[in-house]
Amino acid sequence: MKSIKGFIPIIFVTVIAAFAFMSIYTGRESISKSEADVAHTSLSSQAELLYEFKSIDDLIKNADCIVVGKVENAEQFMESNMGTYKYSFKVDKYLKGEENSNQIDLYEGKDEVHVGDKYLLFLDSWESELYPNPLHTSIASDISIIKIKGNSLLGDSRIIGKMDKEQLIHLISKSPLLTVKQKKSYNIKDKAKDAEDLINSSDYVVHIIPHSVVKFNQNVALVSFQVVNQFKGDKLNKRILPLPAKIKAGEEYLVFLRDDGASAKRLATRSDSIIEKHDKEKWDAMMDKLKAKKEINEDSVLDTVYN
């Protein structure tokens, strides 16, 4: 059988572009939309072949999850020329992977899948505090998306051969490669128990004013900012970070970050790591807590204004 190569999934290219762009422009005062578009397009176009598939066994081995189900909804996710869409996929059957939900978020290019159609999918998965749910995308859209029509299959003949749906599902379900797990660890914390837990879960607590916000997609923006106060952690040198897309330039925020061990800064939790000054009750309560901790242990808190 000829080898079949798959490309880096679109959603992961977007994330790679965001973090690479952040590294390139650290220290800059602002980011223009045109610069972000150019960087994103350039980095995306340079995506190299990531996997080489020689058989269906390679798909089974490399997939984080294998599912059978139906596309129920579609919405545009990213406005770039890559045209990424977010699809709501109802899972009828898991052949591989943790059965956490019967509804998953599937990210694919326009027309890779269609609402109302059924598919067997070999998927890569990824998690981030910047997204409300795990992200899923085909490990190689040209071969790992198999359309189901009744008991018939529409897909790459080098993968499905002359098998029908039941035969392919049986082959996959009996494969010893289903036990092969990809080494991934995200340690995502959805929500802190209380203010004390949020502070303790953070390596950095900073009061910021964004002055440039470049939206990458519905969830993520690349934000350059001024640090007004830092309440926890070593001096934060990077002033450009991927943050939730709801961030607005000129507003004030408390941001709770953790160090992921690879010199990158991530939100401490998925849902409550950003406190807006407009949310007066939460803002005042947290500021009181941070100031109280400062008084207790002056050495553990920085109170430096960066110009």
Side-chain angles (χ1 to χ4, degrees):
M1 180 179 288
K2 294 181 180 179
S3 65
I4 309 165
K5 294 183 178 180
F7 292 91
I8 295 175
I10 284 175
I11 188 65
F12 301 140
V13 171
T14 302
V15 175
I16 291 168
F19 279 90
F21 190 65
M22 177 193 74
S23 299
I24 293 169
Y25 286 89
T26 296
R28 284 280 300 277
E29 289 299 317
S30 63
I31 315 159
S32 71
K33 182 67 168 65
S34 60
E35 284 177 326
D37 288 341
V38 168
H40 181 265
T41 301
S42 174
L43 286 163
S44 300
S45 66
Q46 294 174 28
E48 298 293 335
L49 295 174
L50 186 61
Y51 302 114
E52 183 172 359
F53 302 102
K54 296 181 180 179
S55 67
I56 192 170
D57 284 344
D58 288 339
L59 292 179
I60 297 171
K61 178 181 178 180
N62 285 284
D64 290 316
C65 60
I66 305 172
V67 294
V68 177
K70 181 179 180 180
V71 178
E72 293 197 326
N73 186 48
E75 58 180 302
Q76 189 167 6
F77 176 70
M78 193 168 60
E79 296 180 359
S80 75
N81 57 4
M82 297 181 73
T84 306
Y85 277 69
K86 174 184 173 183
Y87 298 90
S88 179
F89 189 82
K90 183 180 180 182
V91 179
D92 295 327
K93 185 179 183 65
Y94 278 88
L95 299 174
K96 182 180 181 181
E98 297 182 9
E99 300 182 28
N100 294 324
S101 173
N102 64 353
Q103 201 86 23
I104 63 174
D105 293 339
L106 175 67
Y107 296 84
E108 297 292 342
K110 184 180 180 181
D111 296 330
E112 292 287 354
V113 295
H114 297 90
V115 174
D117 288 343
K118 293 185 176 182
Y119 297 90
L120 188 154
L121 304 173
F122 297 84
L123 300 175
D124 209 339
S125 63
W126 179 75
E127 285 199 59
S128 166
E129 291 85 359
L130 292 167
Y131 294 86
N133 303 304
L135 298 87
H136 300 83
T137 190
S138 57
I139 60 176
S141 60
D142 53 339
I143 58 172
S144 58
I145 297 175
I146 299 173
K147 189 174 180 178
I148 299 172
K149 295 197 74 173
N151 198 39
S152 299
L153 300 174
L154 297 176
D156 195 301
S157 61
R158 294 168 294 179
I159 293 297
I160 62 177
K162 296 182 178 180
M163 289 183 288
D164 60 26
K165 181 187 76 171
E166 296 302 325
Q167 290 171 329
L168 180 57
I169 289 176
H170 178 76
L171 174 68
I172 294 170
S173 64
K174 297 298 182 181
S175 173
L177 295 172
L178 288 175
T179 60
V180 177
K181 307 292 184 183
Q182 303 304 313
K183 294 182 179 179
K184 295 182 178 180
S185 178
Y186 302 107
N187 299 317
I188 303 294
K189 187 170 186 174
D190 284 324
K191 185 179 177 64
K193 297 176 183 177
D194 50 33
E196 188 73 22
D197 183 42
L198 181 56
I199 295 170
N200 292 337
S201 299
S202 306
D203 296 311
Y204 302 85
V205 180
V206 288
H207 173 189
I208 70 168
I209 300 178
H211 46 72
S212 178
V213 178
V214 178
K215 190 174 180 180
F216 265 79
N217 56 46
Q218 293 177 356
N219 298 86
V220 183
L222 207 57
V223 180
S224 62
F225 53 86
Q226 171 194 356
V227 177
V228 179
N229 262 310
Q230 184 164 339
F231 296 96
K232 185 178 181 181
D234 297 331
K235 181 179 177 180
L236 191 65
N237 292 317
K238 289 188 176 180
R239 301 186 201 176
I240 299 178
L241 292 173
L243 292 174
K246 67 180 182 179
I247 294 286
K248 296 179 181 179
E251 303 291 343
E252 295 186 49
Y253 301 90
L254 283 173
V255 181
F256 298 79
L257 302 166
R258 65 183 177 92
D259 199 324
D260 71 355
S263 75
K265 307 295 183 290
R266 301 172 59 173
L267 295 181
T269 65
R270 180 173 265 149
S271 62
D272 54 0
S273 288
I274 305 288
I275 299 178
E276 305 175 25
K277 191 172 184 179
H278 287 309
D279 191 341
K280 183 172 173 53
E281 184 177 348
K282 285 186 179 180
W283 179 275
D284 289 345
M286 182 57 75
M287 289 297 284
D288 288 343
K289 175 74 70 173
L290 291 169
K291 289 174 182 177
K293 291 182 77 69
K294 174 186 174 182
E295 292 174 0
I296 293 172
N297 188 357
E298 187 73 28
D299 292 335
S300 68
V301 180
L302 296 177
D303 190 22
T304 304
V305 176
Y306 301 116
N307 298 317

